[in-house]
Amino acid sequence: AQSVAQPEDQVNVAEGNPLTVKCTYSVSGNPYLFWYVQYPNRGLQFLLKYITGDNLVKGSYGFEAEFNKSQTSFHLKKPSALVSDSALYFCAVRVSNFGNEKLTFGTGTRLTIIP
Amino acid sequence: DVKVTQSSRYLVKRTGEKVFLECVQDMDHENMFWYRQDPGLGLRLIYFSYDVKMKEKGDIPEGYSVSREKKERFSLILESASTNQTSMYLCAGRNRGNPNEAFFGQGTRLTVV
């Protein structure tokens, strides 16, 4: 079975500081990893994904994430936080086998950027 | 722009009612999904469909059914709504077989009273 853990329900960061939102995963096989963001009363918006290749992937709004196979982690990062980054963030995983289409999500991390 | 549209943003239904949540996508995606989102539990997969008239149970299918008569439309059905089905429901679509991201609708907040 595949699973995702987001160990922090809430992360608070001062505006301008770097931010990290943590994610670890468990799958049998090679993972496809995703980050999504949800603003209040909205659906999920795709931020970035790791498929293969470079372990550091860049996405929308200045976010990036680092894939670490040995630690089975895919932490979301941004060098300098903005107040507008305040939202709910979800990490998700899927195995890279054709036919297994199930995308499993973590429980979410609420990011609050303090002005 | 890709688009997944859920027919209602907010719904209030009575216990025991049959409830239909509709989702339409214009991306010609084979795969469509229904999730429910609850605080502290994240998104949990209810059902998904990988083709017309095809469906598979997700992690929490009890109390729900689905219908996919056309490729662009995926309906979630609550046969007899209960208060524990009060939740945010999210529909998503994705191309099959590629490492593509899923695209989500704006969500339907269902309240069962």
Side-chain angles (χ1 to χ4, degrees):
Chain A
Q2 58 196 47
S3 65
V4 175
Q6 293 182 244
E8 300 157 317
D9 292 335
Q10 173 84 39
V11 171
N12 297 328
V13 177
E15 186 179 19
N17 282 2
L19 69 87
T20 298
V21 182
K22 295 179 181 177
C23 171
T24 58
Y25 67 91
S26 174
V27 296
S28 298
N30 293 320
Y32 292 155
L33 292 154
F34 304 85
W35 274 102
Y36 286 84
V37 60
Q38 186 180 40
Y39 298 102
N41 299 314
R42 304 288 298 276
L44 270 66
Q45 295 179 29
F46 168 74
L47 271 182
L48 50 81
K49 63 185 176 186
Y50 171 81
I51 304 301
T52 187
D54 195 349
N55 289 342
L56 185 66
V57 294
K58 294 186 184 296
S60 306
Y61 311 121
F63 283 93
E64 57 190 27
E66 187 166 12
F67 171 65
N68 187 318
K69 189 172 183 178
S70 62
Q71 297 185 2
T72 61
S73 67
F74 189 57
H75 301 330
L76 182 70
K77 300 181 180 184
K78 187 173 182 180
S80 179
L82 300 173
V83 173
S84 58
D85 293 330
S86 298
L88 188 56
Y89 290 80
F90 289 96
C91 181
V93 69
R94 184 169 76 81
V95 292
S96 59
N97 296 329
F98 181 85
N100 184 341
E101 307 300 336
K102 181 179 171 182
L103 187 62
T104 299
F105 285 83
T107 52
T109 299
R110 186 164 299 282
L111 177 65
T112 301
I113 308 303
I114 302 165
Chain B
D1 255 4
V2 295
K3 210 159 188 181
V4 178
T5 303
Q6 295 181 231
S7 55
S8 303
R9 291 293 302 273
Y10 301 95
L11 275 179
V12 180
K13 297 292 182 180
R14 294 192 180 278
T15 300
E17 275 192 78
K18 190 169 186 177
V19 181
F20 293 85
L21 303 184
E22 306 288 348
C23 176
V24 177
Q25 51 98 358
D26 65 358
M27 303 173 288
D28 202 35
H29 282 179
E30 298 92 352
N31 291 355
M32 295 187 77
F33 306 83
W34 275 107
Y35 289 88
R36 65 176 280 176
Q37 180 183 1
D38 301 287
L41 298 177
L43 275 72
R44 293 178 291 166
L45 182 63
I46 304 171
Y47 267 97
F48 67 100
S49 168
Y50 48 89
D51 208 340
V52 176
K53 297 189 185 294
M54 307 299 282
K55 61 185 179 184
E56 280 202 26
K57 293 179 179 180
D59 298 318
I60 51 164
E62 296 79 17
Y64 303 94
S65 63
V66 290
S67 172
R68 193 159 180 209
E69 297 296 316
K70 294 183 178 181
K71 191 175 186 179
E72 66 270 18
R73 186 180 296 270
F74 191 37
S75 303
L76 180 69
I77 304 159
L78 287 65
E79 297 290 343
S80 177
S82 64
T83 55
N84 63 13
Q85 292 177 311
T86 292
S87 187
M88 169 72 93
Y89 290 87
L90 294 168
C91 175
R94 190 174 66 79
N95 278 327
R96 183 176 60 210
N98 291 326
N100 292 323
E101 63 272 20
F103 292 90
F104 282 82
Q106 77 275 29
T108 297
R109 186 166 294 282
L110 173 67
T111 302
V112 182
V113 298

